[in-house]
Amino acid sequence: MFGRKKKKHKDSMSLESILALNYKRIQYASMRDPDTYKEIRLGTDGAINIIGDKLHVVCSGESVFSCTLDEVSAGELMSHDGIVLKGFDHISGEERTVTAFYLKKD
Protein backbone atom coordinates (compact mmCIF):
# COMPACT_ATOMS: atom_id res chain seq x y z
CA MET A 1 0.00 0.00 0.00
CA PHE A 2 1.17 3.56 -0.74
CA GLY A 3 3.93 2.31 -3.05
CA ARG A 4 6.01 0.61 -0.37
CA LYS A 5 8.31 -2.11 -1.58
CA LYS A 6 8.68 -5.41 0.21
CA LYS A 7 11.84 -5.73 2.22
CA LYS A 8 14.23 -8.40 1.03
CA HIS A 9 14.78 -11.39 3.24
CA LYS A 10 17.77 -10.73 5.49
CA ASP A 11 19.68 -13.62 3.89
CA SER A 12 19.14 -12.34 0.36
CA MET A 13 21.86 -10.75 -1.75
CA SER A 14 21.73 -6.98 -2.09
CA LEU A 15 19.97 -5.44 -5.06
CA GLU A 16 23.34 -4.31 -6.44
CA SER A 17 24.64 -7.89 -6.35
CA ILE A 18 21.50 -9.16 -8.05
CA LEU A 19 21.81 -6.49 -10.76
CA ALA A 20 25.41 -7.62 -11.36
CA LEU A 21 24.03 -11.01 -12.48
CA ASN A 22 22.62 -9.44 -15.67
CA TYR A 23 23.80 -11.45 -18.72
CA LYS A 24 25.39 -14.12 -16.47
CA ARG A 25 25.55 -17.31 -18.57
CA ILE A 26 24.13 -20.48 -17.06
CA GLN A 27 24.64 -24.14 -17.92
CA TYR A 28 21.15 -25.15 -16.76
CA ALA A 29 18.32 -24.27 -14.38
CA SER A 30 16.37 -26.65 -12.17
CA MET A 31 13.84 -26.77 -9.37
CA ARG A 32 12.78 -29.40 -6.85
CA ASP A 33 9.33 -30.93 -7.34
CA PRO A 34 7.37 -30.12 -4.16
CA ASP A 35 5.51 -33.46 -4.26
CA THR A 36 8.26 -35.96 -5.10
CA TYR A 37 11.33 -33.89 -4.11
CA LYS A 38 12.99 -34.89 -7.37
CA GLU A 39 14.99 -32.37 -9.36
CA ILE A 40 13.23 -31.07 -12.46
CA ARG A 41 15.49 -29.59 -15.12
CA LEU A 42 13.80 -26.48 -16.50
CA GLY A 43 16.23 -25.96 -19.36
CA THR A 44 19.82 -25.70 -20.49
CA ASP A 45 22.13 -23.22 -22.23
CA GLY A 46 20.89 -19.89 -20.99
CA ALA A 47 21.45 -16.73 -19.02
CA ILE A 48 20.13 -14.60 -16.21
CA ASN A 49 18.71 -11.38 -17.66
CA ILE A 50 17.28 -8.29 -16.03
CA ILE A 51 14.73 -6.50 -18.17
CA GLY A 52 13.06 -3.48 -16.64
CA ASP A 53 12.10 -4.39 -13.08
CA LYS A 54 12.14 -8.18 -13.61
CA LEU A 55 14.78 -10.87 -13.30
CA HIS A 56 14.45 -13.62 -15.92
CA VAL A 57 16.11 -17.02 -16.10
CA VAL A 58 16.23 -17.84 -19.80
CA CYS A 59 17.08 -21.31 -21.17
CA SER A 60 17.29 -22.08 -24.90
CA GLY A 61 15.69 -18.73 -25.69
CA GLU A 62 12.68 -19.26 -23.42
CA SER A 63 12.05 -17.63 -20.05
CA VAL A 64 11.64 -20.38 -17.40
CA PHE A 65 11.47 -18.09 -14.34
CA SER A 66 10.47 -14.44 -14.07
CA CYS A 67 10.21 -12.45 -10.84
CA THR A 68 10.20 -8.75 -10.04
CA LEU A 69 13.39 -7.43 -8.47
CA ASP A 70 11.59 -6.24 -5.35
CA GLU A 71 10.13 -9.74 -4.75
CA VAL A 72 13.10 -11.98 -5.59
CA SER A 73 15.32 -13.46 -2.92
CA ALA A 74 18.73 -14.66 -4.07
CA GLY A 75 21.66 -16.50 -2.56
CA GLU A 76 24.77 -17.91 -4.17
CA LEU A 77 25.62 -21.58 -3.62
CA MET A 78 28.48 -22.19 -1.20
CA SER A 79 30.45 -23.71 -4.08
CA HIS A 80 29.92 -20.49 -6.11
CA ASP A 81 28.76 -22.73 -8.98
CA GLY A 82 25.29 -21.20 -9.12
CA ILE A 83 22.54 -19.22 -7.47
CA VAL A 84 19.23 -20.02 -5.76
CA LEU A 85 16.39 -17.67 -6.69
CA LYS A 86 13.10 -17.60 -4.82
CA GLY A 87 10.01 -15.54 -5.47
CA PHE A 88 6.65 -15.31 -7.17
CA ASP A 89 7.16 -16.64 -10.69
CA HIS A 90 5.06 -14.67 -13.18
CA ILE A 91 5.30 -17.54 -15.70
CA SER A 92 3.86 -20.32 -13.53
CA GLY A 93 1.80 -18.01 -11.31
CA GLU A 94 3.15 -19.50 -8.09
CA GLU A 95 5.95 -19.14 -5.55
CA ARG A 96 8.99 -21.06 -6.82
CA THR A 97 12.58 -21.76 -5.90
CA VAL A 98 14.87 -22.15 -8.90
CA THR A 99 18.57 -22.99 -8.95
CA ALA A 100 20.62 -21.70 -11.87
CA PHE A 101 24.03 -23.30 -12.36
CA TYR A 102 26.65 -21.02 -13.90
CA LEU A 103 28.38 -21.97 -17.14
CA LYS A 104 31.78 -23.42 -16.25
CA LYS A 105 34.74 -21.71 -17.84
CA ASP A 106 37.36 -23.96 -19.41
Side-chain angles (χ1 to χ4, degrees):
M1 191 171 191
F2 300 103
R4 287 188 175 177
K5 291 186 178 182
K6 286 184 178 180
K7 289 187 178 180
K8 290 218 177 290
H9 191 270
K10 66 180 180 178
D11 293 335
S12 179
M13 296 169 64
S14 68
L15 181 59
E16 293 79 23
S17 296
I18 293 172
L19 291 173
L21 294 170
N22 196 22
Y23 301 117
K24 181 78 171 176
R25 299 277 318 268
I26 61 171
Q27 186 173 359
Y28 69 96
S30 67
M31 66 174 272
R32 191 154 312 270
D33 184 305
D35 298 325
T36 64
Y37 299 105
K38 292 184 178 181
E39 182 180 19
I40 299 171
R41 192 169 283 206
L42 301 173
T44 60
D45 190 34
I48 297 171
N49 294 325
I50 298 172
I51 303 169
D53 68 339
K54 286 188 180 175
L55 179 140
H56 298 269
V57 176
V58 178
C59 293
S60 301
E62 183 179 330
S63 189
V64 296
F65 178 78
S66 175
C67 186
T68 58
L69 290 172
D70 62 337
E71 293 178 331
V72 71
S73 176
E76 198 163 45
L77 298 175
M78 289 178 69
S79 64
H80 300 285
D81 288 341
I83 190 162
V84 177
L85 303 164
K86 183 176 183 179
F88 181 79
D89 180 19
H90 293 273
I91 296 169
S92 67
E94 57 190 27
E95 187 81 16
R96 287 172 83 184
T97 302
V98 172
T99 305
F101 294 89
Y102 302 143
L103 185 65
K104 292 184 169 89
K105 296 177 183 173
D106 294 329

